[in-house]
């Protein structure tokens, strides 16, 4: 069997509703039409929802090219890293289960590798379809503070649609503080700024990064992630704290 050109990693946590509406089938339908070898790793972050785990595992068992990983609950960065470690592809893409950015958008990213780039990320630009006015404002504030501190030339660091040369992903992920640290007690599906640290590490190591506009509209219908307004505010504040931690690490030359 040919070594995959593209490895797709999909972190998963309580995704019952997204799985029932056929999110993985969408991924499979697109990849089956491509002329390159591929693989998909569904990396579950210890979902307490047994139905979510069963649906994902059953799909992977029945579908060629798909593999299911069951992890202890430790947060999205660990689920992504667990999946990346299991990949064999020349290019690795991680994308969200909800397919708010459809897998077909990878066709916009892949040509940049032939242009010499090492990391190619999808960008939602500065607008967010299906975002409330409050979330749009919070996103804008976060983006401007982050750009003042780090990665000024990148508009959107938070889109869950990022690709890397496989060897680059496996080099820079272990540099993340959340990966190096002992696994902390994690409750639910916490949004973090690990994407920012990941891109800073890649940049400081001399890797070329391209940011490519992609289609995005919130399609997440899952109900098991506890995404209330209060949690959103707390996560936003935590993410800003992480930005300054990454900035301090960067000034210390940690990522070089």
């Amino acid at each position: 069997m040919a070594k995959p050109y593209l490895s797709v990693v999909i972190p998963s946590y309580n995704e019952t509703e997204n799985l029932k509406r056929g999110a993985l089938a969408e991924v499979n339908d697109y990849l089956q039409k491509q002329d390159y070898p591929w693989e998909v790793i569904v990396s579950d972050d210890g979902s307490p929802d047994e139905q979510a785990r069963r649906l994902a595992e059953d799909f992977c068992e029945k579908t060629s090219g798909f593999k299911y990983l069951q992890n202890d609950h430790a947060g999205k960065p660990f689920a992504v890293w667990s999946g990346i470690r299991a990949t064999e592809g020349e290019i690795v893409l991680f994308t969200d289960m909800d397919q708010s950015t459809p897998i077909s958008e990878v066709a916009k990213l892949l040509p940049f590798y032939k242009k010499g780039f090492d990391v190619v990320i999808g960008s939602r630009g500065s607008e967010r379809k299906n975002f409330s006015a409050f979330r749009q404002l919070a996103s804008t504030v976060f983006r401007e503070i982050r750009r003042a501190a780090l990665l000024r030339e990148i508009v959107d660091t938070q889109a869950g649609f990022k690709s890397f040369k496989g060897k680059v992903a496996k080099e820079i992920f272990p540099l993340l503080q959340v990966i190096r640290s002992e696994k902390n007690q994690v409750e639910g599906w916490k949004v973090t700024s690990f994407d920012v640290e990941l891109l800073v590490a890649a940049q400081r190591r001399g890797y070329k990064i391209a940011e490519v506009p992609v289609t995005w509209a919130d399609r997440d219908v899952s109900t098991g992630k506890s995404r209330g307004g209060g949690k959103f505010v707390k996560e936003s504040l935590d993410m800003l704290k992480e930005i300054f931690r990454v900035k301090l690490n960067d000034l210390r030359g940690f990522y070089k």
Side-chain angles (χ1 to χ4, degrees), residues 58-105:
D58 287 350
F59 185 93
C60 292
E61 287 180 353
K62 296 174 182 176
T63 310
S64 177
F66 281 69
K67 179 181 179 181
Y68 178 79
L69 295 180
Q70 181 62 61
N71 305 289
D72 294 334
H73 182 44
K76 183 177 180 178
F78 283 99
V80 174
W81 174 229
S82 177
I84 287 175
R85 284 184 296 176
T87 61
E88 298 181 359
E90 181 180 338
I91 306 299
V92 173
L93 168 79
F94 67 82
T95 181
D96 293 332
M97 179 70 79
D98 58 43
Q99 290 297 286
S100 292
T101 295
I103 186 65
S104 57
E105 295 294 277

Side-chain angles (χ1 to χ4, degrees), residues 4-234:
Y5 169 66
L6 177 67
S7 294
V8 180
V9 174
I10 304 178
S12 181
Y13 182 82
N14 285 358
E15 299 281 1
T16 296
E17 292 82 6
N18 288 317
L19 288 161
K20 282 184 174 180
R21 71 168 172 79
L24 288 181
E26 290 179 20
V27 174
N28 183 51
D29 289 346
Y30 174 77
L31 292 174
Q32 289 287 353
K33 299 172 185 175
Q34 305 314 304
D35 59 3
Y36 51 75
W38 53 268
E39 64 177 353
V40 177
I41 311 293
V42 177
S43 184
D44 185 85
D45 181 36
S47 296
D49 184 344
E50 182 179 352
Q51 186 179 19
R53 298 195 306 271
R54 186 175 68 252
L55 285 169
E57 187 171 15
D58 287 350
F59 185 93
C60 292
E61 287 180 353
K62 296 174 182 176
T63 310
S64 177
F66 281 69
K67 179 181 179 181
Y68 178 79
L69 295 180
Q70 181 62 61
N71 305 289
D72 294 334
H73 182 44
K76 183 177 180 178
F78 283 99
V80 174
W81 174 229
S82 177
I84 287 175
R85 284 184 296 176
T87 61
E88 298 181 359
E90 181 180 338
I91 306 299
V92 173
L93 168 79
F94 67 82
T95 181
D96 293 332
M97 179 70 79
D98 58 43
Q99 290 297 286
S100 292
T101 295
I103 186 65
S104 57
E105 295 294 277
V106 74
K108 297 177 180 178
L109 273 55
L110 296 178
F112 283 82
Y113 288 101
K114 295 180 181 179
K115 299 177 182 179
F117 288 92
D118 306 291
V119 179
V120 187
I121 64 173
S123 174
R124 300 164 295 180
S126 58
E127 298 297 324
R128 304 286 186 270
K129 283 186 180 180
N130 299 348
F131 261 23
S132 67
F134 173 72
R135 292 193 70 185
Q136 182 70 51
L137 176 61
S139 176
T140 299
V141 171
F142 171 82
R143 181 175 62 252
E144 294 309 312
I145 293 175
R146 188 269 304 161
R147 292 182 78 179
L150 294 162
L151 303 169
R152 175 175 292 277
E153 69 283 3
I154 296 178
V155 175
D156 184 15
T157 58
Q158 301 308 112
F161 200 78
K162 293 181 172 65
S163 68
F164 308 78
K165 288 182 178 178
K167 63 180 182 180
V168 173
K170 291 175 181 177
E171 175 188 331
I172 61 178
F173 250 87
L175 297 175
L176 302 186
Q177 183 162 318
V178 69
I179 300 298
R180 293 183 294 108
S181 304
E182 292 290 329
K183 293 184 180 181
N184 298 321
Q185 190 70 27
V186 178
E187 294 183 6
W189 188 245
K190 183 179 179 182
V191 177
T192 73
S193 297
F194 82 95
D195 309 68
V196 174
E197 189 169 21
L198 196 61
L199 295 173
V200 169
Q203 189 179 71
R204 294 300 178 260
R205 296 222 159 187
Y207 292 119
K208 292 179 63 179
I209 302 172
E211 182 179 15
V212 181
V214 294
T215 298
W216 186 92
D218 189 0
R219 298 179 64 206
D220 190 359
V221 295
S222 64
T223 59
K225 296 176 185 173
S226 301
R227 297 176 299 169
K231 182 180 179 184
F232 177 74
V233 172
K234 182 179 185 303

